[in-house]
Amino acid sequence: MTTTTERERTLVNYSVSDGVAIIELTNPPANTYSYEMMRQLDEAILQARFDESVHVLVLRGAGERFFCAGADISMLNSVSPTYKYYFCLHANETLLRLEQTPKLVIAALNGHTVGGGLEIALACDIRIARRNAGKIGLPEVSLGVLPGTGGTQRLARALPKNKAIELMTEGKLISFEEAQELGLVNYIYESENYWEQVIAYAKRFCPPNSASRTVGRIKRAVQSGAEVALAEGLALERELQQLCFQSEDAKEGLAAYIEKRQEKHFTGR
């Protein structure tokens, strides 16, 4: 249960730099989350959504050892089953909001990414790990519970079902390199200048380098379209394409192609 002291703590740091919203989970030593942290994460996601100067979101964990080790087990052990249910429900709603936000979301896996930490990362669009920085997996079965913040659903959508079941029922923790081979991790960056490399990658999707709203609409088409029948997915794609056609960035991109210009100046509008 959330205490007065916890309500007063900052558990999620939020800042914006050059079009990138940086959301940092901060609860040492393992950046475990409580209901209050999820409330603050939810607020940060909404703040980034409504901020027109934000084009990309980057999530990371404070420190170098953990991205996030999941839910605070001591908290879960002390609260009622009803509280646990609503805690999981709100966490699910928060990660759905993150997943459905029409802006690219990058998870910077700077350390161990296990349990609910991986469930948060699975709700992001791109996952970039730091080499030799930790393990990744959903070991909840060892506690007698299942991955209850979207893990059973998102992992089974990210991997073949048999592989997802294997990882969850065996509670396997694997290296970032193994995760990349499975497709769970997009990139692995060297530890030296890791964060600078992540931010440089994120800025590739910000104006003037990229048509950021189009990037967000591609994400929306994939995330929402994957959950409906093909005909409905195609209808969503057409509507989003029409919004792109009406944008200043589409005019700029098409004109640059016709004029054989390599340089494009996108505005995110």
Side-chain angles (χ1 to χ4, degrees):
M1 189 173 296
T2 302
T3 65
T4 301
T5 302
E6 188 174 41
R7 282 196 298 270
E8 293 170 352
R9 289 176 59 198
T10 297
L11 299 167
V12 175
N13 292 321
Y14 180 86
S15 61
V16 178
S17 176
D18 297 327
V20 178
I22 300 166
I23 300 173
E24 181 183 66
L25 309 179
T26 174
N27 185 28
N31 299 323
T32 53
Y33 61 79
S34 57
Y35 172 57
E36 186 58 26
M37 180 187 275
M38 275 291 165
R39 285 280 300 269
Q40 292 182 27
L41 176 59
D42 203 1
E43 178 59 34
I45 293 164
L46 289 171
Q47 193 169 342
R49 268 193 185 188
F50 279 89
D51 188 342
E52 292 189 14
S53 73
V54 168
H55 302 280
V56 179
L57 287 68
V58 176
L59 266 69
R60 71 177 181 185
E64 295 189 349
R65 291 189 58 214
F66 285 89
F67 171 74
C68 175
D72 184 333
I73 303 302
S74 60
M75 178 274 295
L76 288 177
N77 190 50
S78 67
V79 297
S80 69
T82 299
Y83 185 96
K84 291 185 185 78
Y85 173 80
Y86 286 113
F87 168 69
C88 289
L89 176 61
H90 175 258
N92 273 313
E93 292 167 339
T94 298
L95 296 188
L96 277 172
R97 197 166 354 264
L98 180 66
E99 191 172 56
Q100 293 298 323
T101 293
K103 298 181 181 184
L104 193 70
V105 180
I106 299 167
L109 309 183
N110 54 298
H112 295 296
T113 304
V114 296
L118 177 53
E119 292 176 297
I120 293 172
L122 285 169
C124 300
D125 306 307
I126 302 285
R127 291 174 281 280
I128 304 175
R130 186 165 64 93
R131 191 174 300 283
N132 300 321
K135 297 287 188 179
I136 189 169
L138 296 172
E140 285 89 339
V141 67
S142 66
L143 301 174
V145 298
L146 56 76
T149 313
T152 63
Q153 302 307 300
R154 289 192 178 93
L155 193 66
R157 285 163 168 77
L159 299 176
K161 280 194 293 185
N162 64 316
K163 192 64 182 179
I165 291 171
E166 173 196 324
L167 290 174
M168 288 185 281
T169 57
E170 295 182 12
K172 275 186 178 177
L173 296 181
I174 61 176
S175 69
F176 288 144
E177 287 75 16
E178 291 174 280
Q180 186 180 36
E181 289 178 8
L182 292 173
L184 287 178
V185 167
N186 296 82
Y187 301 105
I188 298 176
Y189 290 168
E190 299 299 329
S191 290
E192 186 178 2
N193 299 322
Y194 168 76
W195 181 241
E196 290 79 3
Q197 292 178 79
V198 170
I199 292 299
Y201 179 79
K203 287 181 179 178
R204 288 172 50 185
F205 301 98
C206 296
N209 305 309
S210 178
S212 57
R213 285 198 182 181
T214 299
V215 170
R217 285 162 183 162
I218 290 171
K219 167 191 173 160
R220 176 117 189 260
V222 172
Q223 294 287 19
S224 299
E227 303 303 318
V228 299
L230 178 60
E232 284 76 14
L234 291 171
L236 173 63
E237 181 183 88
R238 288 193 300 272
E239 294 303 315
L240 292 170
Q241 179 72 302
Q242 182 59 21
L243 291 175
C244 291
F245 282 146
Q246 295 170 359
S247 70
E248 292 180 17
D249 282 345
K251 293 175 185 174
E252 168 66 6
L254 293 170
Y257 180 85
I258 295 298
E259 296 163 12
K260 302 188 185 314
R261 279 192 283 118
Q262 293 298 316
E263 292 293 323
K264 305 181 188 72
H265 187 84
F266 293 114
T267 62
R269 293 193 293 272

PDB file of all heavy atoms in Angstrom, residues 125-151:
ATOM      1  N   ASP A 125       8.451   0.562 -28.219  1.00  0.00           N
ATOM      2  CA  ASP A 125       8.530   0.220 -29.642  1.00  0.00           C
ATOM      3  C   ASP A 125       9.899  -0.301 -30.056  1.00  0.00           C
ATOM      4  O   ASP A 125      10.005  -1.197 -30.892  1.00  0.00           O
ATOM      5  CB  ASP A 125       8.186   1.457 -30.490  1.00  0.00           C
ATOM      6  CG  ASP A 125       6.851   2.050 -30.097  1.00  0.00           C
ATOM      7  OD1 ASP A 125       5.862   1.291 -30.074  1.00  0.00           O
ATOM      8  OD2 ASP A 125       6.790   3.245 -29.785  1.00  0.00           O
ATOM      9  N   ILE A 126      10.939   0.281 -29.500  1.00  0.00           N
ATOM     10  CA  ILE A 126      12.327  -0.076 -29.827  1.00  0.00           C
ATOM     11  C   ILE A 126      13.051  -0.325 -28.509  1.00  0.00           C
ATOM     12  O   ILE A 126      12.911   0.457 -27.561  1.00  0.00           O
ATOM     13  CB  ILE A 126      13.044   1.051 -30.602  1.00  0.00           C
ATOM     14  CG1 ILE A 126      12.303   1.402 -31.894  1.00  0.00           C
ATOM     15  CG2 ILE A 126      14.508   0.672 -30.881  1.00  0.00           C
ATOM     16  CD1 ILE A 126      12.446   0.409 -33.005  1.00  0.00           C
ATOM     17  N   ARG A 127      13.847  -1.397 -28.456  1.00  0.00           N
ATOM     18  CA  ARG A 127      14.601  -1.705 -27.239  1.00  0.00           C
ATOM     19  C   ARG A 127      16.101  -1.728 -27.556  1.00  0.00           C
ATOM     20  O   ARG A 127      16.538  -2.486 -28.424  1.00  0.00           O
ATOM     21  CB  ARG A 127      14.139  -3.042 -26.648  1.00  0.00           C
ATOM     22  CG  ARG A 127      12.727  -2.961 -26.090  1.00  0.00           C
ATOM     23  CD  ARG A 127      12.187  -4.297 -25.624  1.00  0.00           C
ATOM     24  NE  ARG A 127      11.717  -5.131 -26.709  1.00  0.00           N
ATOM     25  CZ  ARG A 127      10.526  -5.016 -27.315  1.00  0.00           C
ATOM     26  NH1 ARG A 127       9.691  -4.065 -26.940  1.00  0.00           N
ATOM     27  NH2 ARG A 127      10.175  -5.833 -28.292  1.00  0.00           N
ATOM     28  N   ILE A 128      16.850  -0.880 -26.837  1.00  0.00           N
ATOM     29  CA  ILE A 128      18.292  -0.762 -27.047  1.00  0.00           C
ATOM     30  C   ILE A 128      19.001  -1.116 -25.749  1.00  0.00           C
ATOM     31  O   ILE A 128      18.828  -0.435 -24.731  1.00  0.00           O
ATOM     32  CB  ILE A 128      18.687   0.660 -27.494  1.00  0.00           C
ATOM     33  CG1 ILE A 128      17.932   1.065 -28.757  1.00  0.00           C
ATOM     34  CG2 ILE A 128      20.193   0.740 -27.717  1.00  0.00           C
ATOM     35  CD1 ILE A 128      18.181   2.499 -29.197  1.00  0.00           C
ATOM     36  N   ALA A 129      19.781  -2.190 -25.766  1.00  0.00           N
ATOM     37  CA  ALA A 129      20.447  -2.672 -24.559  1.00  0.00           C
ATOM     38  C   ALA A 129      21.894  -2.201 -24.498  1.00  0.00           C
ATOM     39  O   ALA A 129      22.508  -1.890 -25.519  1.00  0.00           O
ATOM     40  CB  ALA A 129      20.388  -4.196 -24.503  1.00  0.00           C
ATOM     41  N   ARG A 130      22.433  -2.177 -23.275  1.00  0.00           N
ATOM     42  CA  ARG A 130      23.845  -1.858 -23.050  1.00  0.00           C
ATOM     43  C   ARG A 130      24.615  -3.165 -22.923  1.00  0.00           C
ATOM     44  O   ARG A 130      24.246  -4.037 -22.138  1.00  0.00           O
ATOM     45  CB  ARG A 130      23.994  -1.011 -21.782  1.00  0.00           C
ATOM     46  CG  ARG A 130      25.400  -0.503 -21.528  1.00  0.00           C
ATOM     47  CD  ARG A 130      25.383   0.615 -20.488  1.00  0.00           C
ATOM     48  NE  ARG A 130      24.924   0.156 -19.188  1.00  0.00           N
ATOM     49  CZ  ARG A 130      25.724  -0.275 -18.203  1.00  0.00           C
ATOM     50  NH1 ARG A 130      27.035  -0.309 -18.382  1.00  0.00           N
ATOM     51  NH2 ARG A 130      25.219  -0.664 -17.055  1.00  0.00           N
ATOM     52  N   ARG A 131      25.655  -3.323 -23.716  1.00  0.00           N
ATOM     53  CA  ARG A 131      26.372  -4.599 -23.774  1.00  0.00           C
ATOM     54  C   ARG A 131      26.906  -5.034 -22.404  1.00  0.00           C
ATOM     55  O   ARG A 131      27.471  -4.233 -21.657  1.00  0.00           O
ATOM     56  CB  ARG A 131      27.535  -4.508 -24.766  1.00  0.00           C
ATOM     57  CG  ARG A 131      28.151  -5.882 -25.073  1.00  0.00           C
ATOM     58  CD  ARG A 131      29.197  -5.822 -26.161  1.00  0.00           C
ATOM     59  NE  ARG A 131      28.690  -5.333 -27.431  1.00  0.00           N
ATOM     60  CZ  ARG A 131      27.955  -6.058 -28.297  1.00  0.00           C
ATOM     61  NH1 ARG A 131      27.643  -7.302 -27.994  1.00  0.00           N
ATOM     62  NH2 ARG A 131      27.562  -5.526 -29.431  1.00  0.00           N
ATOM     63  N   ASN A 132      26.676  -6.318 -22.114  1.00  0.00           N
ATOM     64  CA  ASN A 132      27.156  -6.942 -20.872  1.00  0.00           C
ATOM     65  C   ASN A 132      26.631  -6.255 -19.621  1.00  0.00           C
ATOM     66  O   ASN A 132      27.272  -6.307 -18.564  1.00  0.00           O
ATOM     67  CB  ASN A 132      28.693  -6.964 -20.834  1.00  0.00           C
ATOM     68  CG  ASN A 132      29.297  -7.747 -21.980  1.00  0.00           C
ATOM     69  OD1 ASN A 132      28.768  -8.794 -22.369  1.00  0.00           O
ATOM     70  ND2 ASN A 132      30.394  -7.253 -22.543  1.00  0.00           N
ATOM     71  N   ALA A 133      25.455  -5.641 -19.713  1.00  0.00           N
ATOM     72  CA  ALA A 133      24.939  -4.868 -18.575  1.00  0.00           C
ATOM     73  C   ALA A 133      23.952  -5.643 -17.720  1.00  0.00           C
ATOM     74  O   ALA A 133      23.565  -5.164 -16.651  1.00  0.00           O
ATOM     75  CB  ALA A 133      24.287  -3.575 -19.066  1.00  0.00           C
ATOM     76  N   GLY A 134      23.512  -6.815 -18.179  1.00  0.00           N
ATOM     77  CA  GLY A 134      22.555  -7.536 -17.354  1.00  0.00           C
ATOM     78  C   GLY A 134      21.828  -8.632 -18.095  1.00  0.00           C
ATOM     79  O   GLY A 134      22.172  -8.999 -19.220  1.00  0.00           O
ATOM     80  N   LYS A 135      20.792  -9.129 -17.428  1.00  0.00           N
ATOM     81  CA  LYS A 135      19.962 -10.214 -17.955  1.00  0.00           C
ATOM     82  C   LYS A 135      18.566  -9.690 -18.241  1.00  0.00           C
ATOM     83  O   LYS A 135      18.145  -8.628 -17.777  1.00  0.00           O
ATOM     84  CB  LYS A 135      19.880 -11.360 -16.950  1.00  0.00           C
ATOM     85  CG  LYS A 135      21.221 -12.023 -16.641  1.00  0.00           C
ATOM     86  CD  LYS A 135      21.683 -12.877 -17.798  1.00  0.00           C
ATOM     87  CE  LYS A 135      22.913 -13.691 -17.419  1.00  0.00           C
ATOM     88  NZ  LYS A 135      23.369 -14.563 -18.524  1.00  0.00           N
ATOM     89  N   ILE A 136      17.815 -10.488 -18.989  1.00  0.00           N
ATOM     90  CA  ILE A 136      16.455 -10.131 -19.359  1.00  0.00           C
ATOM     91  C   ILE A 136      15.578 -11.374 -19.263  1.00  0.00           C
ATOM     92  O   ILE A 136      16.031 -12.476 -19.585  1.00  0.00           O
ATOM     93  CB  ILE A 136      16.437  -9.528 -20.793  1.00  0.00           C
ATOM     94  CG1 ILE A 136      15.084  -8.939 -21.150  1.00  0.00           C
ATOM     95  CG2 ILE A 136      16.890 -10.540 -21.832  1.00  0.00           C
ATOM     96  CD1 ILE A 136      15.109  -8.111 -22.436  1.00  0.00           C
ATOM     97  N   GLY A 137      14.335 -11.224 -18.763  1.00  0.00           N
ATOM     98  CA  GLY A 137      13.467 -12.385 -18.666  1.00  0.00           C
ATOM     99  C   GLY A 137      12.267 -12.138 -17.767  1.00  0.00           C
ATOM    100  O   GLY A 137      12.133 -11.075 -17.140  1.00  0.00           O
ATOM    101  N   LEU A 138      11.388 -13.138 -17.716  1.00  0.00           N
ATOM    102  CA  LEU A 138      10.166 -13.077 -16.906  1.00  0.00           C
ATOM    103  C   LEU A 138      10.168 -14.274 -15.947  1.00  0.00           C
ATOM    104  O   LEU A 138       9.594 -15.320 -16.243  1.00  0.00           O
ATOM    105  CB  LEU A 138       8.923 -13.112 -17.812  1.00  0.00           C
ATOM    106  CG  LEU A 138       8.744 -11.925 -18.766  1.00  0.00           C
ATOM    107  CD1 LEU A 138       7.588 -12.170 -19.732  1.00  0.00           C
ATOM    108  CD2 LEU A 138       8.504 -10.632 -17.975  1.00  0.00           C
ATOM    109  N   PRO A 139      10.801 -14.120 -14.767  1.00  0.00           N
ATOM    110  CA  PRO A 139      10.945 -15.246 -13.847  1.00  0.00           C
ATOM    111  C   PRO A 139       9.848 -15.363 -12.788  1.00  0.00           C
ATOM    112  O   PRO A 139      10.023 -16.024 -11.761  1.00  0.00           O
ATOM    113  CB  PRO A 139      12.293 -14.931 -13.180  1.00  0.00           C
ATOM    114  CG  PRO A 139      12.296 -13.443 -13.088  1.00  0.00           C
ATOM    115  CD  PRO A 139      11.574 -12.944 -14.332  1.00  0.00           C
ATOM    116  N   GLU A 140       8.679 -14.756 -13.020  1.00  0.00           N
ATOM    117  CA  GLU A 140       7.634 -14.713 -11.992  1.00  0.00           C
ATOM    118  C   GLU A 140       7.181 -16.081 -11.512  1.00  0.00           C
ATOM    119  O   GLU A 140       6.697 -16.235 -10.384  1.00  0.00           O
ATOM    120  CB  GLU A 140       6.415 -13.926 -12.515  1.00  0.00           C
ATOM    121  CG  GLU A 140       6.599 -12.425 -12.563  1.00  0.00           C
ATOM    122  CD  GLU A 140       7.187 -11.921 -13.875  1.00  0.00           C
ATOM    123  OE1 GLU A 140       7.815 -12.722 -14.599  1.00  0.00           O
ATOM    124  OE2 GLU A 140       7.016 -10.732 -14.188  1.00  0.00           O
ATOM    125  N   VAL A 141       7.327 -17.100 -12.373  1.00  0.00           N
ATOM    126  CA  VAL A 141       6.875 -18.446 -11.980  1.00  0.00           C
ATOM    127  C   VAL A 141       7.564 -18.910 -10.701  1.00  0.00           C
ATOM    128  O   VAL A 141       6.986 -19.675  -9.915  1.00  0.00           O
ATOM    129  CB  VAL A 141       7.102 -19.447 -13.141  1.00  0.00           C
ATOM    130  CG1 VAL A 141       8.589 -19.678 -13.409  1.00  0.00           C
ATOM    131  CG2 VAL A 141       6.382 -20.772 -12.876  1.00  0.00           C
ATOM    132  N   SER A 142       8.780 -18.444 -10.451  1.00  0.00           N
ATOM    133  CA  SER A 142       9.503 -18.848  -9.241  1.00  0.00           C
ATOM    134  C   SER A 142       8.851 -18.298  -7.981  1.00  0.00           C
ATOM    135  O   SER A 142       9.132 -18.768  -6.873  1.00  0.00           O
ATOM    136  CB  SER A 142      10.963 -18.384  -9.315  1.00  0.00           C
ATOM    137  OG  SER A 142      11.045 -16.965  -9.292  1.00  0.00           O
ATOM    138  N   LEU A 143       7.979 -17.291  -8.131  1.00  0.00           N
ATOM    139  CA  LEU A 143       7.238 -16.726  -7.006  1.00  0.00           C
ATOM    140  C   LEU A 143       5.832 -17.313  -6.910  1.00  0.00           C
ATOM    141  O   LEU A 143       5.050 -16.929  -6.044  1.00  0.00           O
ATOM    142  CB  LEU A 143       7.129 -15.200  -7.155  1.00  0.00           C
ATOM    143  CG  LEU A 143       8.443 -14.423  -7.239  1.00  0.00           C
ATOM    144  CD1 LEU A 143       8.173 -12.961  -7.540  1.00  0.00           C
ATOM    145  CD2 LEU A 143       9.237 -14.575  -5.951  1.00  0.00           C
ATOM    146  N   GLY A 144       5.516 -18.230  -7.823  1.00  0.00           N
ATOM    147  CA  GLY A 144       4.190 -18.829  -7.828  1.00  0.00           C
ATOM    148  C   GLY A 144       3.131 -17.969  -8.485  1.00  0.00           C
ATOM    149  O   GLY A 144       1.934 -18.187  -8.308  1.00  0.00           O
ATOM    150  N   VAL A 145       3.564 -16.970  -9.256  1.00  0.00           N
ATOM    151  CA  VAL A 145       2.626 -16.098  -9.968  1.00  0.00           C
ATOM    152  C   VAL A 145       3.045 -16.011 -11.433  1.00  0.00           C
ATOM    153  O   VAL A 145       4.137 -16.447 -11.812  1.00  0.00           O
ATOM    154  CB  VAL A 145       2.571 -14.686  -9.343  1.00  0.00           C
ATOM    155  CG1 VAL A 145       2.073 -14.754  -7.915  1.00  0.00           C
ATOM    156  CG2 VAL A 145       3.935 -13.994  -9.409  1.00  0.00           C
ATOM    157  N   LEU A 146       2.173 -15.457 -12.260  1.00  0.00           N
ATOM    158  CA  LEU A 146       2.499 -15.289 -13.685  1.00  0.00           C
ATOM    159  C   LEU A 146       2.880 -13.844 -13.970  1.00  0.00           C
ATOM    160  O   LEU A 146       2.635 -12.956 -13.144  1.00  0.00           O
ATOM    161  CB  LEU A 146       1.333 -15.747 -14.562  1.00  0.00           C
ATOM    162  CG  LEU A 146      -0.064 -15.140 -14.373  1.00  0.00           C
ATOM    163  CD1 LEU A 146      -0.179 -13.735 -14.953  1.00  0.00           C
ATOM    164  CD2 LEU A 146      -1.118 -16.040 -15.018  1.00  0.00           C
ATOM    165  N   PRO A 147       3.495 -13.572 -15.113  1.00  0.00           N
ATOM    166  CA  PRO A 147       3.797 -12.189 -15.499  1.00  0.00           C
ATOM    167  C   PRO A 147       2.490 -11.437 -15.749  1.00  0.00           C
ATOM    168  O   PRO A 147       1.859 -11.603 -16.789  1.00  0.00           O
ATOM    169  CB  PRO A 147       4.614 -12.342 -16.784  1.00  0.00           C
ATOM    170  CG  PRO A 147       5.127 -13.749 -16.750  1.00  0.00           C
ATOM    171  CD  PRO A 147       4.049 -14.537 -16.077  1.00  0.00           C
ATOM    172  N   GLY A 148       2.078 -10.627 -14.778  1.00  0.00           N
ATOM    173  CA  GLY A 148       0.723 -10.074 -14.783  1.00  0.00           C
ATOM    174  C   GLY A 148       0.608  -8.630 -15.191  1.00  0.00           C
ATOM    175  O   GLY A 148      -0.418  -7.993 -14.931  1.00  0.00           O
ATOM    176  N   THR A 149       1.637  -8.083 -15.818  1.00  0.00           N
ATOM    177  CA  THR A 149       1.553  -6.703 -16.314  1.00  0.00           C
ATOM    178  C   THR A 149       1.723  -6.709 -17.833  1.00  0.00           C
ATOM    179  O   THR A 149       2.420  -5.887 -18.405  1.00  0.00           O
ATOM    180  CB  THR A 149       2.605  -5.810 -15.631  1.00  0.00           C
ATOM    181  OG1 THR A 149       2.574  -6.053 -14.220  1.00  0.00           O
ATOM    182  CG2 THR A 149       2.315  -4.330 -15.848  1.00  0.00           C
ATOM    183  N   GLY A 150       1.090  -7.691 -18.450  1.00  0.00           N
ATOM    184  CA  GLY A 150       1.113  -7.787 -19.905  1.00  0.00           C
ATOM    185  C   GLY A 150       2.116  -8.777 -20.449  1.00  0.00           C
ATOM    186  O   GLY A 150       2.183  -8.991 -21.667  1.00  0.00           O
ATOM    187  N   GLY A 151       2.905  -9.403 -19.591  1.00  0.00           N
ATOM    188  CA  GLY A 151       3.973 -10.277 -20.065  1.00  0.00           C
ATOM    189  C   GLY A 151       3.491 -11.482 -20.853  1.00  0.00           C
ATOM    190  O   GLY A 151       4.067 -11.808 -21.897  1.00  0.00           O
TER     191      GLY A 151
END
